Amino acid sequence: MKKIILKLKINIMSRSLLTLIVLLMMITSTQAQTKNEARVARMVKDLNSAIVARGSFALAQISMDELSFGHSGGVIQDKAAFIKAVLNGPTFFKSIDPEGQTIQVSGKHAIVRHIVVASATREGNPVPLRFGNVMVWYKKQGKWKLLARQGYKL
């Protein structure tokens, strides 16, 4: 009888330990996801700051060479054309504020969605902007980089 009770106690302890391990793994996985989401959010902020500041070096570092940058008006640019347009216009951003941002990370990919509320100038005239935005970020050599972006009219 003592052997049966001992086996039951060991069985209960084993199940409890297994449950604890699974819970710890789930918590760790959730925390890793949260860290990646925070890093991607930081990169979105850095991208917006670089566009406002017209920082060509920062834009080049943030963007992948294979960048596809789509505007809400239908224009699609590669990395070089995107950076050139930020530097030379015709539209210059004074502020870019994302609203309702969501970030979904899956392995080395992240999808960012938000509404852009921005203040810009075009040919010296103020232009308030509001449009939807979808970005695809890719983690390359431990760094998140912009792979694709598509703006869309609301």
Side-chain angles (χ1 to χ4, degrees):
M1 185 70 165
K2 286 184 177 182
K3 285 185 178 184
I4 293 173
I5 293 173
L6 182 60
K7 283 184 180 181
L8 281 172
K9 284 183 179 179
I10 291 173
N11 194 15
I12 291 170
M13 287 175 59
S14 296
R15 285 185 184 174
S16 297
L17 183 59
L18 180 61
T19 302
L20 180 63
I21 290 171
V22 169
L23 286 172
L24 286 173
M25 288 173 61
M26 288 172 58
I27 290 169
T28 302
S29 174
T30 302
Q31 287 177 341
Q33 185 90 2
T34 303
K35 283 182 184 178
N36 279 323
E37 288 172 0
R39 287 182 182 141
V40 171
R42 181 71 218 165
M43 293 308 299
V44 171
K45 205 171 197 177
D46 290 350
L47 172 66
N48 291 339
S49 295
I51 291 171
V52 170
R54 293 189 266 173
S56 62
F57 180 76
L59 292 169
Q61 293 298 310
I62 292 168
S63 306
M64 292 190 67
D65 291 339
E66 303 84 1
L67 177 68
S68 175
F69 197 92
H71 296 269
S72 61
V75 174
I76 298 174
Q77 299 168 319
D78 62 10
K79 181 178 181 175
F82 160 63
I83 293 172
K84 183 177 179 183
V86 169
L87 298 178
N88 301 324
T91 303
F92 299 102
F93 285 87
K94 291 182 170 189
S95 67
I96 302 172
D97 298 306
E99 291 182 349
Q101 182 165 280
T102 62
I103 300 172
Q104 183 179 9
V105 176
S106 179
K108 292 185 174 189
H109 297 86
I111 299 170
V112 177
R113 296 176 188 273
H114 56 239
I115 304 300
V116 173
V117 178
S119 172
T121 60
R122 187 176 297 134
E123 298 174 3
N125 299 314
V127 181
L129 296 169
R130 188 172 193 277
F131 57 90
N133 205 17
V134 178
M135 298 178 176
V136 178
W137 293 79
Y138 181 73
K139 194 172 191 179
K140 185 175 184 180
Q141 297 173 340
K143 295 182 181 177
W144 287 101
K145 295 192 172 243
L146 182 63
L147 175 60
R149 181 266 196 189
Q150 182 60 57
Y152 57 91
K153 293 179 182 181
L154 296 173

